[in-house]
Amino acid sequence: MTSLLPKPSRRHFLALSGTALLLAGCSTTSVLAPTPTPGSRDETAAALALVNKLRQSKGLSALSLDAPARKAAAAQSVRMAKARQMSHLIGLGDSFGGRMAKSEVSLPAAENIASGQDSVDAAVQAWIDSPKHLKNMLGAYKGLGVAVARSSDGRNYWAMVLSG
């Protein structure tokens, strides 16, 4: 059977490769602020001060604002608020690793979640009071993102993402 398509040449390959490289260079990412996620409020700056004070008291290095972690935290807070469910996994096929990859979070990564607190201070304190969440905040991470979203019934859902 013969093909009706022309045989690809080196010239076609180089032209397509150049076009692909040109298009790949068109995307940009923000280092400081992710695109806001509708329905969420970024609380990273306030939480960062509290978490770094805690880490400093334990002789640990400070964390920094991390755009992908902020994006992942915002997305998770909105997902929980929409589902009105505090859970790391919501829906079939959901995975922590998949969510972190989608937001381009550097690994290793961890996620703390909370529900019902009315302020970032109260959410961070709830995580401090929980041994597993405290261990995450004191872990070998470099970046941080924290967001809150309010459900239709007025409950706050918090997400903290720590990144490598």
PDB file of all heavy atoms in Angstrom, residues 2-10 12-13 16:
ATOM      1  N   THR A   2       0.608   2.191  -0.823  1.00  0.00           N
ATOM      2  CA  THR A   2       1.418   3.400  -0.908  1.00  0.00           C
ATOM      3  C   THR A   2       0.726   4.538  -0.176  1.00  0.00           C
ATOM      4  O   THR A   2      -0.495   4.602  -0.106  1.00  0.00           O
ATOM      5  CB  THR A   2       1.643   3.808  -2.386  1.00  0.00           C
ATOM      6  OG1 THR A   2       0.393   4.049  -2.975  1.00  0.00           O
ATOM      7  CG2 THR A   2       2.425   2.761  -3.128  1.00  0.00           C
ATOM      8  N   SER A   3       1.532   5.460   0.351  1.00  0.00           N
ATOM      9  CA  SER A   3       1.009   6.602   1.088  1.00  0.00           C
ATOM     10  C   SER A   3       0.835   7.783   0.153  1.00  0.00           C
ATOM     11  O   SER A   3       1.643   8.004  -0.743  1.00  0.00           O
ATOM     12  CB  SER A   3       1.975   6.975   2.214  1.00  0.00           C
ATOM     13  OG  SER A   3       1.579   8.175   2.796  1.00  0.00           O
ATOM     14  N   LEU A   4      -0.210   8.543   0.363  1.00  0.00           N
ATOM     15  CA  LEU A   4      -0.445   9.744  -0.419  1.00  0.00           C
ATOM     16  C   LEU A   4       0.232  10.963   0.204  1.00  0.00           C
ATOM     17  O   LEU A   4       0.256  12.029  -0.386  1.00  0.00           O
ATOM     18  CB  LEU A   4      -1.946  10.004  -0.556  1.00  0.00           C
ATOM     19  CG  LEU A   4      -2.744   8.916  -1.273  1.00  0.00           C
ATOM     20  CD1 LEU A   4      -4.207   9.262  -1.269  1.00  0.00           C
ATOM     21  CD2 LEU A   4      -2.247   8.756  -2.695  1.00  0.00           C
ATOM     22  N   LEU A   5       0.774  10.801   1.422  1.00  0.00           N
ATOM     23  CA  LEU A   5       1.446  11.897   2.097  1.00  0.00           C
ATOM     24  C   LEU A   5       2.872  12.019   1.589  1.00  0.00           C
ATOM     25  O   LEU A   5       3.529  11.013   1.307  1.00  0.00           O
ATOM     26  CB  LEU A   5       1.468  11.659   3.614  1.00  0.00           C
ATOM     27  CG  LEU A   5       0.107  11.604   4.297  1.00  0.00           C
ATOM     28  CD1 LEU A   5       0.266  11.227   5.754  1.00  0.00           C
ATOM     29  CD2 LEU A   5      -0.597  12.940   4.185  1.00  0.00           C
ATOM     30  N   PRO A   6       3.389  13.242   1.483  1.00  0.00           N
ATOM     31  CA  PRO A   6       4.771  13.392   1.038  1.00  0.00           C
ATOM     32  C   PRO A   6       5.727  12.838   2.089  1.00  0.00           C
ATOM     33  O   PRO A   6       5.450  12.859   3.286  1.00  0.00           O
ATOM     34  CB  PRO A   6       4.939  14.903   0.876  1.00  0.00           C
ATOM     35  CG  PRO A   6       3.870  15.517   1.694  1.00  0.00           C
ATOM     36  CD  PRO A   6       2.742  14.521   1.752  1.00  0.00           C
ATOM     37  N   LYS A   7       6.855  12.366   1.624  1.00  0.00           N
ATOM     38  CA  LYS A   7       7.872  11.833   2.532  1.00  0.00           C
ATOM     39  C   LYS A   7       8.471  13.000   3.318  1.00  0.00           C
ATOM     40  O   LYS A   7       8.852  14.016   2.727  1.00  0.00           O
ATOM     41  CB  LYS A   7       8.953  11.127   1.719  1.00  0.00           C
ATOM     42  CG  LYS A   7      10.009  10.488   2.565  1.00  0.00           C
ATOM     43  CD  LYS A   7      11.012   9.743   1.716  1.00  0.00           C
ATOM     44  CE  LYS A   7      12.084   9.152   2.611  1.00  0.00           C
ATOM     45  NZ  LYS A   7      13.102   8.475   1.831  1.00  0.00           N
ATOM     46  N   PRO A   8       8.507  12.901   4.654  1.00  0.00           N
ATOM     47  CA  PRO A   8       9.054  13.996   5.449  1.00  0.00           C
ATOM     48  C   PRO A   8      10.528  14.224   5.105  1.00  0.00           C
ATOM     49  O   PRO A   8      11.292  13.279   4.962  1.00  0.00           O
ATOM     50  CB  PRO A   8       8.902  13.545   6.894  1.00  0.00           C
ATOM     51  CG  PRO A   8       8.206  12.243   6.874  1.00  0.00           C
ATOM     52  CD  PRO A   8       8.067  11.799   5.464  1.00  0.00           C
ATOM     53  N   SER A   9      10.879  15.477   4.967  1.00  0.00           N
ATOM     54  CA  SER A   9      12.266  15.810   4.666  1.00  0.00           C
ATOM     55  C   SER A   9      12.910  16.444   5.889  1.00  0.00           C
ATOM     56  O   SER A   9      12.244  16.805   6.856  1.00  0.00           O
ATOM     57  CB  SER A   9      12.326  16.782   3.492  1.00  0.00           C
ATOM     58  OG  SER A   9      11.790  18.045   3.890  1.00  0.00           O
ATOM     59  N   ARG A  10      14.219  16.597   5.812  1.00  0.00           N
ATOM     60  CA  ARG A  10      14.960  17.236   6.902  1.00  0.00           C
ATOM     61  C   ARG A  10      14.488  18.686   7.046  1.00  0.00           C
ATOM     62  O   ARG A  10      14.372  19.199   8.143  1.00  0.00           O
ATOM     63  CB  ARG A  10      16.454  17.164   6.605  1.00  0.00           C
ATOM     64  CG  ARG A  10      17.301  17.708   7.718  1.00  0.00           C
ATOM     65  CD  ARG A  10      18.767  17.358   7.489  1.00  0.00           C
ATOM     66  NE  ARG A  10      19.523  17.684   8.652  1.00  0.00           N
ATOM     67  CZ  ARG A  10      20.343  18.734   8.740  1.00  0.00           C
ATOM     68  NH1 ARG A  10      20.533  19.502   7.698  1.00  0.00           N
ATOM     69  NH2 ARG A  10      20.995  18.966   9.851  1.00  0.00           N
ATOM     70  N   HIS A  12      11.460  19.899   6.453  1.00  0.00           N
ATOM     71  CA  HIS A  12      10.180  19.902   7.170  1.00  0.00           C
ATOM     72  C   HIS A  12      10.398  19.706   8.667  1.00  0.00           C
ATOM     73  O   HIS A  12       9.779  20.370   9.492  1.00  0.00           O
ATOM     74  CB  HIS A  12       9.242  18.801   6.638  1.00  0.00           C
ATOM     75  CG  HIS A  12       8.666  19.101   5.307  1.00  0.00           C
ATOM     76  ND1 HIS A  12       9.045  18.418   4.182  1.00  0.00           N
ATOM     77  CD2 HIS A  12       7.736  20.017   4.918  1.00  0.00           C
ATOM     78  CE1 HIS A  12       8.378  18.895   3.146  1.00  0.00           C
ATOM     79  NE2 HIS A  12       7.582  19.867   3.563  1.00  0.00           N
ATOM     80  N   PHE A  13      11.262  18.778   9.009  1.00  0.00           N
ATOM     81  CA  PHE A  13      11.553  18.492  10.412  1.00  0.00           C
ATOM     82  C   PHE A  13      12.112  19.729  11.101  1.00  0.00           C
ATOM     83  O   PHE A  13      11.689  20.104  12.195  1.00  0.00           O
ATOM     84  CB  PHE A  13      12.535  17.319  10.535  1.00  0.00           C
ATOM     85  CG  PHE A  13      12.968  17.056  11.939  1.00  0.00           C
ATOM     86  CD1 PHE A  13      12.140  16.414  12.838  1.00  0.00           C
ATOM     87  CD2 PHE A  13      14.207  17.491  12.387  1.00  0.00           C
ATOM     88  CE1 PHE A  13      12.541  16.186  14.143  1.00  0.00           C
ATOM     89  CE2 PHE A  13      14.616  17.275  13.681  1.00  0.00           C
ATOM     90  CZ  PHE A  13      13.785  16.622  14.562  1.00  0.00           C
ATOM     91  N   LEU A  16       9.393  22.463  11.544  1.00  0.00           N
ATOM     92  CA  LEU A  16       8.462  22.125  12.627  1.00  0.00           C
ATOM     93  C   LEU A  16       9.129  22.261  13.990  1.00  0.00           C
ATOM     94  O   LEU A  16       8.520  22.735  14.947  1.00  0.00           O
ATOM     95  CB  LEU A  16       7.900  20.712  12.442  1.00  0.00           C
ATOM     96  CG  LEU A  16       6.880  20.560  11.316  1.00  0.00           C
ATOM     97  CD1 LEU A  16       6.520  19.086  11.134  1.00  0.00           C
ATOM     98  CD2 LEU A  16       5.636  21.374  11.600  1.00  0.00           C
TER      99      LEU A  16
END
